[in-house]
Amino acid sequence: MEEQFAKTEIHKPENIVYKKTDLMVDRPLSYCPGCGHGTAHRMLMEVIEEMGIQDKTIGVSPVGCSVLAYDFLDIDMIGAAHGRAPALATAIKRMWPNHFVFTYQGDGDLAAIGTAETIHACNRGENITIIFINNGIYGMTGGQMAPTTLPGMRSSTSPYGRDVPTMGHPLKITELVAQLPGVYYVTRQAVHTPNNVRKTKKAIRKAFELQKENKGLSFIEIVSNCNSGWKMTPVQSNKWMEENMFPFYELGDIKVDGKLVEKKATAEKE
Amino acid sequence: MAKIKGDIVINTERCKGCEVCLAACPFTVIAMSKEVNSKGYHFAMKVNDECTGCTNCALVCPDGVITVYRAKVATE
């Protein structure tokens, strides 16, 4: 009985330390169980809520699983043709320079069909934020091989693993755009553990703050899982991601304040 | 002496049973239910009173179904 009493004492609105932000529409997400998209959406909306810019933010949704992002995010959203989100975001930002403009894209959208738009928007140094979800696979269409698929990684179109001599090397688009002078902030994060989620939120916050100061383009890659495409349970896929994706796609800042971050001394020692 | 007590409330109808929160909890407060919700998923549920309100489970939950409470409770 005392336990029951304690529970009713705790369950008060002033004791809430965490709840889903009201900027997420109260609707079930269409993503698979355990998909990183939901967490990435929520962190994005928490940043927008904290900065109080709900009525000044315009998002561009891609083609991919997150094409329905406008159903879940309670802000102004527009859907772009496949891969053309950075071009559309450029136009929106130039029309409304005082608004916050971001694109939310997957690896099939940003790193495959939209490579040209991505690189040129980055090279022009458009004052937008690009959020890039990398799961190494075309998740929505059934797990086909993407440019970001790891060497030896199985997908529905590379059932024996990606063979580098015939299928090419994985594309590290984040390192590629970090070389461009128009890009101000580049980072790679993940959303599978509480610590990484907190870091991702800080990175998104920083990107929006930089956009406020007209510093240039911010590029945030979020390495995520695709448990349906990888044919694993969510917990297994997170473990697989830690063991296989992170050594290739190293987490951490790549470019801060317009300067490339030096690699840690451990690589030099080896 | 005052003690920090936490509690979680899980929206079991929205839970998709991905089990990501189980690994995030430092006190194994969460376990999967034997029953299923109306969509057929085994949902996460609170199984003991060790919760400190650290918000780890709620942060990693992709569907944001967990609400976390934390309060100081007077104990003897």
Side-chain angles (χ1 to χ4, degrees):
Chain A
M1 286 300 283
E2 273 178 29
E3 281 295 333
Q4 280 298 322
F5 179 71
K7 269 186 188 169
T8 51
E9 283 287 285
I10 292 172
H11 288 188
K12 284 176 183 167
E14 66 265 28
N15 289 340
I16 291 181
V17 282
Y18 192 90
K19 75 189 268 282
K20 188 164 115 172
T21 168
D22 293 334
L23 267 60
M24 292 283 287
V25 177
D26 191 24
R27 183 179 291 170
L29 296 174
S30 60
Y31 306 119
C32 305
C35 175
H37 269 312
T39 316
H41 279 10
R42 208 173 64 247
M43 289 306 120
L44 178 64
M45 296 321 280
E46 280 181 15
V47 169
I48 290 169
E49 186 180 32
E50 281 172 17
M51 290 178 74
I53 52 171
Q54 185 186 10
D55 53 348
K56 283 171 69 184
T57 308
I58 303 166
V60 184
S61 71
V63 172
C65 291
S66 51
V67 68
L68 295 172
Y70 46 72
D71 271 352
F72 312 124
L73 311 182
D74 197 6
I75 50 171
D76 292 332
M77 295 284 289
I78 185 164
H82 201 353
R84 274 70 198 176
L88 191 53
T90 300
I92 296 168
K93 186 67 183 182
R94 290 186 180 195
M95 292 285 283
W96 287 289
N98 294 327
H99 281 59
F100 293 83
V101 181
F102 71 88
T103 71
Y104 186 100
Q105 298 175 268
D107 51 339
D109 192 70
L110 183 141
I113 193 166
T115 317
E117 281 76 11
T118 307
I119 288 182
H120 284 292
C122 291
N123 197 34
R124 290 193 303 268
E126 298 296 340
N127 193 27
I128 55 173
T129 301
I130 294 180
I131 295 170
F132 166 41
I133 312 289
N134 178 8
N135 55 17
I137 212 167
Y138 290 138
M140 185 184 75
T141 49
Q144 289 87 353
M145 187 178 70
T148 46
T149 302
L150 300 175
M153 181 174 169
R154 288 177 187 201
S155 67
S156 60
T157 48
S158 59
Y160 304 109
R162 183 178 188 153
D163 178 34
V164 171
T166 52
M167 301 169 191
H169 292 276
L171 177 62
K172 282 188 174 179
I173 189 117
T174 310
E175 269 83 357
L176 198 66
V177 299
Q179 307 296 327
L180 303 172
V183 182
Y184 194 76
Y185 176 53
V186 180
T187 186
R188 183 184 281 128
Q189 303 293 343
V191 287
H192 70 300
T193 64
N195 208 3
N196 284 312
V197 173
R198 290 188 179 99
K199 281 186 191 165
T200 304
K201 188 176 169 185
K202 266 188 197 160
I204 298 173
R205 173 85 193 219
K206 187 172 176 180
F208 276 89
E209 297 281 357
L210 291 172
Q211 193 177 143
K212 203 181 197 173
E213 297 166 20
N214 291 320
K215 291 284 190 186
L217 192 138
S218 310
F219 192 101
I220 301 169
E221 173 178 348
I222 299 173
V223 182
S224 184
N225 60 347
C226 178
N227 45 70
S228 304
W230 297 353
K231 315 278 183 254
M232 294 175 195
T233 68
V235 176
Q236 276 174 344
S237 69
N238 282 340
K239 198 163 167 257
W240 191 90
M241 180 169 71
E242 275 179 3
E243 288 167 358
N244 298 284
M245 296 280 277
F246 292 172
F248 191 81
Y249 298 112
E250 280 174 49
L251 300 189
D253 291 340
I254 295 163
K255 195 175 193 180
V256 180
D257 300 339
K259 289 190 192 99
L260 287 169
V261 175
E262 301 266 329
K263 286 274 175 210
K264 277 176 192 163
T266 50
E268 286 168 18
K269 276 177 193 170
E270 289 167 8
Chain B
M1 198 189 117
K3 196 181 161 196
I4 301 283
K5 278 286 273 178
D7 197 15
I8 53 169
V9 175
I10 299 169
N11 184 351
T12 50
E13 271 304 302
R14 288 281 169 87
C15 179
K16 291 179 184 164
C18 68
E19 305 186 16
V20 174
C21 53
L22 269 68
C25 181
F27 299 102
T28 54
V29 172
I30 309 170
M32 301 312 290
S33 69
K34 286 202 174 118
E35 305 88 66
V36 292
N37 61 19
S38 63
K39 287 201 170 171
Y41 294 119
H42 293 281
F43 49 85
M45 55 189 254
K46 189 168 173 259
V47 289
N48 61 39
D49 287 320
E50 304 281 308
C51 183
T52 58
C54 69
T55 72
N56 276 4
C57 54
L59 276 176
V60 294
C61 177
D63 295 271
V65 302
I66 305 177
T67 304
V68 186
Y69 296 86
R70 191 196 298 147
K72 271 187 182 174
V73 179
T75 50
E76 282 157 28

